[in-house]
Amino acid sequence: MQSEASNTVSAQFGAGGGSLFALAVTHNTVPIPELQKYSILARIDLYEAGRRFRDAGCRGVVILETCNRIEVYADVDQPSSAGPVLDVWSGVAGERLTSQYTLLEGDQLVRHIFSVAAGLDSAVIGEAEILSQLKTAYFRSAELDLVTPGLDYLFHAAMVVGKRVRERTRLSSGHVSVAASAVALAKSLTQGHRALVVGAGSLGAKIARILSSEGFSVYVANRTFEKALTLCSGIGAQPVLINEIPDVVGKVDVVFSATSATSPPVGADVLNSVRSHLVVVDASTHAPLDKAQVHNPLVSVRTLEDVKAVSRRGSDMRKEESIMAWEIVEDAVRQFNAKRGQAWVEDLIKAIYVNAEEVRRSEVKKALAKVKRSSDVEEEVFESMSKSIVNKLLDEQSTLLRSLARYDPNTPVERLFELLRIELLNQL
């Protein structure tokens, strides 16, 4: 029976049921303005991306794309399967990824996603948006049935860590989000309270909401007017058409650019014709404005790097909080590995019991068939005795398996069974 269980469980779980890894292109490896060159979801939708990655050997996949990172989390049947996944990504991007990406596996993978969720790996340390972005990426993949149990466990653990860091530290205090830092920068350069936000996406919407809450008169322009209209209706702002931007620029004190357009939405020609003081905060990551082309002395242009600098001014204050946050992350990595091993062994034990129960029922049926005119009492005795034998045999084996897993959570299933066999032989 032990041999049958070993074969059954090995086939079901392999080396832990799959191999998780991530390929990441982030602000740490590529300048932010160049990140979108490697975007997947800007070129194909998630359904098509999932299909292509599955064709490349992925059992499941989650794609996290923000202005700071593009990351593919994959669950594959075979270790060292990053090559085909990288080929798919390069094919979609139209450019071969070489030194731009980082391959994350094992503890490095767990530590990375936990630090991302905590805001420790963001361009602006402690920024809050990343946790909701990570959740959105997970749920979008889950809706398309692209999430495996391994990815499910990893992402839920990351969400818990992100929440824990925000509850136990002040890492996110002050101007730590890009949106909040952009508004703070603008307010330090102008006393005016009339603003134009170009872009109604995630970043533009956050900027518009902050401005509205702080008493600004806000205009919002977006390529899709309906999206600007929806945003404005919720915050009391004024939507404008794209072709109205030059006129509105002349009426406001500050312009925020937060789009994914391939060219600056507010060009240098418009800014050079402005006749009153104007602050431009360009937080675009795709096609930032070239400051050198703006010659108007009345216009002050600030870039995404300037926005990040606002956040870094409070970095000394958050240094101690960052240390505490990393301690939470490291503790979570240790707990994750321990629980992952325990959870795997519990599934393993469950499978052994299921297999044993099938064998028990089969043998009882054979035994009863050999007993002529067996009574209900006799059948009950056979059932009770066989269940008792199976439970007594497997209880000790289960205890040994749990002990071996605690010793090394990453032990392959075949090795666990070998260690179990040796341990049982030593007890004879």
Side-chain angles (χ1 to χ4, degrees), residues 24-311:
V25 177
T26 75
H27 65 96
N28 296 311
T29 57
V30 172
I32 289 178
E34 296 181 18
L35 267 175
Q36 292 305 313
K37 288 168 39 178
Y38 308 102
S39 172
I40 298 170
L41 300 181
R43 295 174 172 86
I44 57 176
D45 61 26
L46 183 58
Y47 179 85
E48 175 62 16
R51 186 191 67 77
R52 295 190 190 186
F53 282 121
R54 275 183 166 165
D55 287 346
C58 293
R59 300 166 69 237
V61 64
V62 177
I63 302 174
L64 174 62
E65 290 199 12
T66 74
C67 59
N68 290 328
R69 68 189 65 254
I70 303 168
E71 300 179 342
V72 176
Y73 293 83
D75 188 345
V76 295
D77 287 318
Q78 299 296 328
S80 304
S81 298
V85 176
L86 187 63
D87 290 340
V88 171
W89 189 349
S90 298
V92 172
E95 181 173 340
R96 182 69 187 177
L97 277 75
T98 54
S99 60
Q100 303 94 335
Y101 75 93
T102 302
L103 173 62
L104 303 158
E105 300 175 289
D107 282 358
Q108 189 181 18
L109 165 63
V110 178
R111 185 174 293 106
H112 173 78
I113 192 172
F114 285 4
S115 67
V116 169
L120 288 165
D121 192 64
S122 298
V124 179
I125 300 297
E127 60 106 349
E129 293 108 278
I130 184 59
L131 184 56
S132 64
Q133 291 167 336
L134 186 143
K135 290 179 180 178
T136 298
Y138 163 81
F139 285 116
R140 287 187 65 200
S141 288
E143 287 173 359
L144 294 177
D145 198 27
L146 295 172
V147 175
T148 61
L151 287 170
D152 180 78
Y153 184 36
L154 178 67
F155 272 79
H156 272 96
M159 294 175 204
V160 171
V161 173
K163 182 179 179 181
R164 188 177 298 164
V165 166
R166 285 160 179 79
E167 290 176 343
R168 299 183 183 179
T169 74
R170 296 182 299 163
L171 188 67
S172 297
S173 62
H175 304 301
V176 294
S177 72
V178 173
S181 297
V183 173
L185 175 59
K187 290 173 65 177
S188 71
L189 297 172
T190 179
Q191 298 297 315
H193 280 74
R194 298 169 299 174
L196 167 64
V197 179
V198 184
S202 177
L203 178 58
K206 290 183 176 70
I207 291 174
R209 291 190 182 101
I210 294 173
L211 291 169
S212 180
S213 68
E214 297 191 7
F216 276 74
S217 296
V218 182
Y219 297 87
V220 177
N222 193 67
R223 182 177 56 185
T224 305
F225 182 74
E226 289 74 15
K227 193 170 184 179
L229 184 62
T230 300
L231 172 60
C232 290
S233 64
I235 61 174
Q238 176 66 47
V240 298
L241 297 169
I242 288 293
N243 59 10
E244 295 177 327
I245 287 179
D247 293 332
V248 178
V249 166
K251 301 176 183 178
V252 299
D253 306 294
V254 57
V255 174
F256 294 89
S257 178
T259 76
S260 57
T262 56
S263 60
V266 183
D269 55 337
V270 173
L271 298 178
N272 286 329
S273 64
V274 169
R275 298 182 179 180
S276 59
H277 289 283
L278 179 68
V279 172
V280 178
V281 180
D282 186 4
S284 299
T285 57
H286 289 58
L289 177 68
D290 185 355
K291 292 173 62 174
Q293 295 182 5
V294 181
H295 309 296
N296 191 335
L298 297 174
V299 178
S300 177
V301 178
R302 295 294 185 271
T303 67
L304 184 57
E305 290 301 317
D306 297 315
V307 173
K308 290 162 60 178
V310 171
S311 177

Side-chain angles (χ1 to χ4, degrees), residues 352-378:
I352 292 174
Y353 270 89
V354 168
N355 185 74
E357 177 64 12
E358 291 176 354
V359 173
R360 185 196 68 79
R361 289 180 179 178
S362 175
E363 294 303 315
V364 167
K365 186 176 181 180
K366 292 178 183 177
L368 289 173
K370 295 178 181 179
V371 179
K372 295 181 178 180
R373 298 180 181 179
S374 59
S375 66
D376 292 341
V377 173
E378 289 173 322

Side-chain angles (χ1 to χ4, degrees), residues 381-398:
V381 169
F382 272 101
E383 282 287 327
S384 178
M385 180 181 66
S386 60
K387 286 182 179 178
S388 178
I389 292 172
V390 169
N391 287 334
K392 286 181 179 179
L393 286 172
L394 294 186
D395 181 64
E396 188 171 358
Q397 294 186 29
S398 299

